[in-house]
Amino acid sequence: MPEDARGRLTTDPFDHRVTKDGRVLVSRGGRVVVTVAGPAADRLVAAIDAAEDDTAVQHLLARATGNYRRGNERR
């Protein structure tokens, strides 16, 4: 699992909530930043349930937001 070089996932972590209809609401700082629905939500919930620790969950939620690789595309 890639590291969080700036430590942002520990100082300002993501939070998630699964709704009754299966959507996953990913929030940060009290604001919903993305809503994942359909098969992608099912895969995300399964991955979160199988995650080893909170760091792995934070990386999964960061990837779900779509801004995971900003700044390090050249590596």
Side-chain angles (χ1 to χ4, degrees), residues 11-34:
T11 59
D12 187 20
F14 287 98
D15 191 23
H16 73 283
R17 187 176 72 199
V18 181
T19 63
K20 289 181 183 179
D21 60 354
R23 292 183 296 152
V24 180
L25 304 175
V26 180
S27 59
R28 190 173 199 179
R31 300 180 120 181
V32 175
V33 292
V34 72

Side-chain angles (χ1 to χ4, degrees), residues 28-59:
R28 190 173 199 179
R31 300 180 120 181
V32 175
V33 292
V34 72
T35 301
V36 183
D42 296 336
R43 287 190 302 271
L44 181 59
V45 170
I48 289 171
D49 290 341
E52 297 174 2
D53 57 359
D54 190 49
T55 303
V57 172
Q58 289 299 310
H59 282 283

